[in-house]
């Protein structure tokens, strides 16, 4: 379908929305528009996401809502949407037989989170590339890999799965980014991943480039090579990859070794990061003061699917994103209509925000709180709608009631006449955009109708939306917005106590997790090197160690921390009761503290 036809279709659907007989019907048509096949899942950097942005801005304009972005209604920012293989990818093999150059078509491929560059050096085999104290197993024991190229097997030793109930479920040691971090932290120049032999697999297939989740740059060159290619290299040192793997699994002992001194590899890896400009869409309805309430929802989704798809065999198909989050966006537009028509002189203004980049890391909300288009200290509360369209039996979830004094009673009081059974959680942290505001000490409320079997799949389609149920949530959000806009006093932010149970809402990095308890909440805004803390939980190990919101962690127990993946795996490998040294920067100045890890709460 050409661009003109698509534009005509969007206009026609918009007309259908405006002619809908009831608010619920209008809401359903709006979801149908945003989640249509022609919108191709509204992926980051896609023309369809831009059309959705234009539609939302057009609705704001038609309602007489003032623009509140940098460029009219829009706040642009740049995101990394993926990676492509560049033209300079090759392996040069040097040994007694001469020199050979291999292109990716010769049985290898870069890994999409590899660092780009050229590295040369001797080669060592490090088994599965795992250091697992809980299994008394370390492929790097007595193995010097500094400035070397490390070959590692995919997956993990078979005996790791001998624990009851573990069959078929790999531990975190099998994760490829964990293998990359382990090698990098030991000084290796590069990692070569090889599938090895598995009884349940036939063809030795390379992982499709671009299909792996991980950081933009893992900080080390990483490629994958086919078994036959690596087997040929090993034979020159009198070894067999197949037999080495067998011996690891039988003996439960590492079989690491250095290849012959006369064998050397040069890896040239060229991974080009794909970047795109995306836009938050922001409108404003003034109040009588400069304070304001934020109501937000993200409007992006997975496009044709990526590593976040929960239907990996359907990547390439439209992931419609009707509930996630055309449902919240349609709700945002209903709130916009309500208050555009409401002639009450409210004390506070209303900032309406449709976020981009949520699905790839809450990037739109993170960018706005770092570069706000209204004074951040004038924001009194943020109400976020994410996946509100699949109400079942009237049940819905409200998070963040512990982030301000009186929020719990306020929500209950306004919801008593609604056809809703509400489940509350205190925490202001979850895997959605309100988290960015919590980190700035702004009270939040999060509205969510629950996970379902169509989540992050192409089957999340408009026809499954419960429009009447969603409008009950939208009505409650509208009532809360009116109350917060008109109240004499602004809500007082409080640090919410952790919930005694996780509930059904998607959790963020501050709630659940792996390994011992540390107590930090990561800031999803990117920093060049390290992990910035959006907040520190009260009375947590991090708090007792003197860490503060805004600190950027750069080291953990002697391990460099370049990104959130580094921190996750470092924490997983630590022990309850262990005292570790944390290095950080605060206001540009380096610092160091000791933190004693506790049992996860």
């Amino acid at each position: 379908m050409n661009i003109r036809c698509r534009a005509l279709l969007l206009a026609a659907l918009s007309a259908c929305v405006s002619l809908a007989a009831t608010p619920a019907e209008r809401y359903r048509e709006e979801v149908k528009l945003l989640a249509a096949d022609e919108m191709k899942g509204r992926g980051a950097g896609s023309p369809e996401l831009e059309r959705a942005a234009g539609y939302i801005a057009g609705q704001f304009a038609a309602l007489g809502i003032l623009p509140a972005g940098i460029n009219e209604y829009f706040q642009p920012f740049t995101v990394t949407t993926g990676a492509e293989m560049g033209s300079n990818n090759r392996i040069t093999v040097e040994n007694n037989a001469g020199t050979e150059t291999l292109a990716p078509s010769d049985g290898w491929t870069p890994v999409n989170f590899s660092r780009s560059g050229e590295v040369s050096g001797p080669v060592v085999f490090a088994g599965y590339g795992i250091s697992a104290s809980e299994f008394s197993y370390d492929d790097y024991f007595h193995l010097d890999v500094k400035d070397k190229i490390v070959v590692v097997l995919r997956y993990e030793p078979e005996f790791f799965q001998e624990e009851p109930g573990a069959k078929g479920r790999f531990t975190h040691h099998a994760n490829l980014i964990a293998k990359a971090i382990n090698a990098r932290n030991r000084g290796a120049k590069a990692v070569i991943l090889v599938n090895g032999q598995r009884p349940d697999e036939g063809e030795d297939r390379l992982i499709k480039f671009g299909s792996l989740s991980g950081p933009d740059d893992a900080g080390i060159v990483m490629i994958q090579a086919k078994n036959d290619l690596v087997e040929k290299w090993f034979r020159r040192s009198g070894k067999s990859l197949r037999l080495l793997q067998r011996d690891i699994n039988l003996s439960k002992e590492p079989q690491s070794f250095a290849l012959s001194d006369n064998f050397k590899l040069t890896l040239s890896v060229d991974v080009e990061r794909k970047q795109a400009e995306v836009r938050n869409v922001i409108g404003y309805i003034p109040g009588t003061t400069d304070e304001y309430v934020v109501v937000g929802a993200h409007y992006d989704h997975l496009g044709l699917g990526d590593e976040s798809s929960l239907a990996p065999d359907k990547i390439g198909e439209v992931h419609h994103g009707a509930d996630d989050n055309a449902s919240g966006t349609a709700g945002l537009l209903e709130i916009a209509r309500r208050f555009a028509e409401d002639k009450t002189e409210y004390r506070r203004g209303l900032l309406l925000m449709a976020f981009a980049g949520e699905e790839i890391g809450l990037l739109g909300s993170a960018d706005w709180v770092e570069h706000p288009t209204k004074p951040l200290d004038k924001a009194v509360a943020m109400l976020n709608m994410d996946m509100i369209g699949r109400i079942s039996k009237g049940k819905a979830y409200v998070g963040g009631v512990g982030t301000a004094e009186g929020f719990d009673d306020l929500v209950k009081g306004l919801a008593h006449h609604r056809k809703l059974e509400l489940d509350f959680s205190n925490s202001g942290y979850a895997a959605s955009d309100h988290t960015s505001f919590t980190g700035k000490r702004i009270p939040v409320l999060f509205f969510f109708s629950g996970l379902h079997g169509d989540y992050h799949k192409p089957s999340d389609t408009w026809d499954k939306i419960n429009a009447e149920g969603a409008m009950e949530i939208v009505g409650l959000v509208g009532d809360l917005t009116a109350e917060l806009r008109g109240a004499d006093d602004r809500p007082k932010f409080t640090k919410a106590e952790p919930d005694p149970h996780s509930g059904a809402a998607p959790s963020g990095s501050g709630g659940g997790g792996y390994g011992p308890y540390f107590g930090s909440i990561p800031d999803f805004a990117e920093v060049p090197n390290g992990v910035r803390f959006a907040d520190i939980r009260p009375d947590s190990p991090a708090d007792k160690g003197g860490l503060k919101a805004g600190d950027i962690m750069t080291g953990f127990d002697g391990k460099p921390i370049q990104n959130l993946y580094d921190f996750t795996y470092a924490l997983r490998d630590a022990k309850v009761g262990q005292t570790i040294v944390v290095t950080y920067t605060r206001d540009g100045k380096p610092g160091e503290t000791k933190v004693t890890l506790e049992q996860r709460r």
Side-chain angles (χ1 to χ4, degrees), residues 289-293 347-348 375-381 404-405 407 440-443 483-493:
T289 72
D290 56 1
E291 291 184 336
Y292 59 93
V293 175
R347 177 182 179 82
R348 298 181 180 91
L376 199 61
D377 62 347
K378 300 300 182 181
V380 304
E405 296 177 359
F407 261 9
K440 297 299 183 181
R441 302 180 65 82
I442 296 169
E483 185 70 21
L484 291 167
R485 291 187 69 191
D488 290 334
D489 298 322
R490 61 186 293 167
K492 182 180 179 181
F493 178 80

Side-chain angles (χ1 to χ4, degrees), residues 4-237:
R4 182 173 180 274
C5 289
R6 285 174 177 160
L8 290 171
L9 175 65
L10 198 61
L13 286 172
S14 180
C16 291
V17 170
S18 63
L19 293 172
T22 68
E25 290 173 351
R26 181 174 61 203
Y27 175 90
R28 184 182 290 107
E29 289 298 322
E30 204 117 57
V31 174
K32 183 178 180 181
L33 183 157
L34 292 167
D37 288 346
E38 293 76 16
M39 295 302 286
K40 294 186 178 178
R42 310 181 308 281
S46 69
E48 292 76 22
L49 184 71
E50 283 297 287
R51 282 202 292 279
Y55 173 77
I56 296 165
Q59 294 299 302
F60 286 172
L63 291 166
I65 294 171
L66 299 175
I70 295 171
N71 180 13
E72 294 292 322
Y73 292 100
F74 303 113
Q75 180 192 31
F77 60 99
T78 301
V79 298
T80 300
T81 60
E84 293 178 342
M85 289 175 55
S87 59
N88 189 27
N89 286 289
R90 65 182 183 277
I91 297 176
T92 303
V93 184
E94 299 177 57
N95 53 48
N96 288 340
T99 300
E100 179 184 20
T101 300
L102 304 173
S105 57
D106 296 321
W108 70 278
T109 185
V111 172
N112 51 270
F113 52 70
S114 171
R115 170 160 289 180
S116 292
E118 182 173 289
V119 296
S120 299
V123 181
V124 298
F125 173 63
Y128 286 89
I130 288 171
S131 301
S133 58
E134 68 270 35
F135 294 104
S136 300
Y137 180 88
D138 186 0
D139 283 309
Y140 289 95
F141 184 67
H142 288 331
L143 181 68
D144 178 18
V145 299
K146 184 172 174 56
D147 296 329
K148 296 180 174 65
I149 295 171
V150 179
V151 177
V152 301
L153 288 159
R154 197 176 170 190
Y155 309 111
E156 63 190 17
E158 292 174 358
F159 70 89
F160 278 27
Q161 298 187 39
E162 290 178 357
E163 296 293 326
K167 192 65 176 175
R169 292 191 297 109
F170 293 114
T171 72
H172 72 273
H173 298 292
N175 195 296
L176 301 192
I177 186 62
K179 295 175 187 281
I181 291 169
N182 201 18
R184 188 200 72 202
N185 288 349
R186 293 171 182 274
K189 284 185 174 181
V191 175
I192 299 175
L193 180 74
V194 59
N195 281 330
Q197 306 297 320
R198 287 188 58 78
D200 57 343
E201 293 185 1
E203 184 180 352
D204 177 27
R205 291 186 178 181
L206 299 177
I207 301 168
K208 182 181 178 182
F209 182 84
S211 64
L212 291 172
S213 60
D216 290 345
D217 181 348
I220 189 170
V221 168
M222 190 173 190
I223 70 168
Q224 186 187 14
K226 287 202 168 188
N227 290 335
D228 289 347
L229 183 60
V230 175
E231 191 73 78
K232 183 169 69 173
W233 297 342
F234 280 24
R235 285 191 193 123
R236 295 190 176 277
S237 297

Side-chain angles (χ1 to χ4, degrees), residues 109 297 392 455 540:
T109 185
S392 177
Y455 173 67
S540 67

Side-chain angles (χ1 to χ4, degrees), residues 125 128 153 196-197 231 234-235 238-251 253 255 257:
F125 173 63
Y128 286 89
L153 288 159
Q197 306 297 320
E231 191 73 78
F234 280 24
R235 285 191 193 123
K239 299 285 188 178
S240 163
L241 176 66
R242 180 179 61 82
L243 294 178
L244 288 163
Q245 183 179 7
R246 180 203 66 182
D247 290 346
I248 292 172
N249 291 323
L250 289 176
S251 70
E253 297 288 343
Q255 302 294 320
F257 78 101

Side-chain angles (χ1 to χ4, degrees), residues 303-575:
L304 302 183
D306 55 22
E307 65 270 10
S308 296
S309 172
L310 294 182
D313 59 328
K314 297 186 182 298
I315 290 176
E317 298 182 17
V318 175
H319 285 54
H320 296 86
D323 191 27
D324 187 16
N325 186 36
S327 69
T329 306
L332 177 69
L333 292 173
E334 285 300 313
I335 297 293
R337 292 184 183 102
R338 170 173 169 171
F339 286 98
E341 296 169 359
D342 187 345
K343 303 307 178 185
T344 305
E345 287 193 352
Y346 288 101
R347 177 182 179 82
R348 298 181 180 91
L350 172 59
L351 193 66
L352 299 151
M353 304 183 68
F355 300 109
E358 191 270 356
E359 296 287 3
I360 51 177
L362 315 186
L363 300 185
S365 54
D367 189 78
W368 190 86
V369 298
E370 293 301 320
H371 309 98
T373 57
K374 293 283 183 184
L376 199 61
D377 62 347
K378 300 300 182 181
V380 304
M382 191 274 182
L383 283 63
N384 180 34
M385 293 176 286
D386 193 350
M387 296 179 62
I388 62 169
R390 295 286 287 268
I391 289 279
S392 177
K393 299 179 180 179
K395 191 167 186 178
Y397 305 89
V398 182
V401 294
T403 63
E405 296 177 359
F407 261 9
D408 195 328
D409 291 338
L410 176 63
V411 177
K412 288 177 181 176
L414 292 175
H416 76 277
H417 68 286
R418 296 281 172 191
K419 298 175 183 178
L420 294 170
E421 179 187 341
L422 297 179
D423 187 4
F424 296 95
S425 66
N426 292 321
S427 177
Y429 294 103
S432 192
D433 288 303
H434 59 286
T435 292
S436 300
F437 290 80
T438 310
K440 297 299 183 181
R441 302 180 65 82
I442 296 169
V444 300
L445 289 170
F446 169 48
F447 300 86
F448 172 68
S449 63
L451 292 173
H452 46 74
D454 299 308
Y455 173 67
H456 277 203
K457 296 178 182 177
S459 53
D460 179 13
T461 49
W462 71 269
D463 53 301
K464 299 174 183 176
I465 293 296
N466 177 354
E468 290 74 16
M471 285 302 296
E472 290 293 322
I473 294 181
V474 173
L476 175 58
V477 172
D479 292 346
L480 286 163
T481 302
E483 185 70 21
L484 291 167
R485 291 187 69 191
D488 290 334
D489 298 322
R490 61 186 293 167
K492 182 180 179 181
F493 178 80
T494 60
K495 282 197 172 185
E497 291 297 320
D499 296 305
H501 58 85
S502 60
S507 61
S509 299
Y514 302 91
Y517 180 53
F518 185 76
S520 64
I521 306 294
D523 190 327
F524 289 94
E526 295 183 5
V527 295
N529 186 50
V531 172
R532 181 163 55 192
F533 300 139
D535 208 349
I536 301 294
R537 291 193 180 277
D539 200 37
S540 67
D543 184 37
K544 295 172 185 175
L547 294 169
K548 299 181 182 297
D551 289 348
I552 299 174
M553 177 194 290
T554 56
F556 182 96
D557 194 27
K559 299 173 182 176
I561 302 299
Q562 298 182 10
N563 51 57
L564 191 54
Y565 288 88
D566 287 346
F567 179 35
T568 299
Y569 287 105
L571 186 59
R572 275 172 160 169
D573 290 338
K575 300 288 188 293

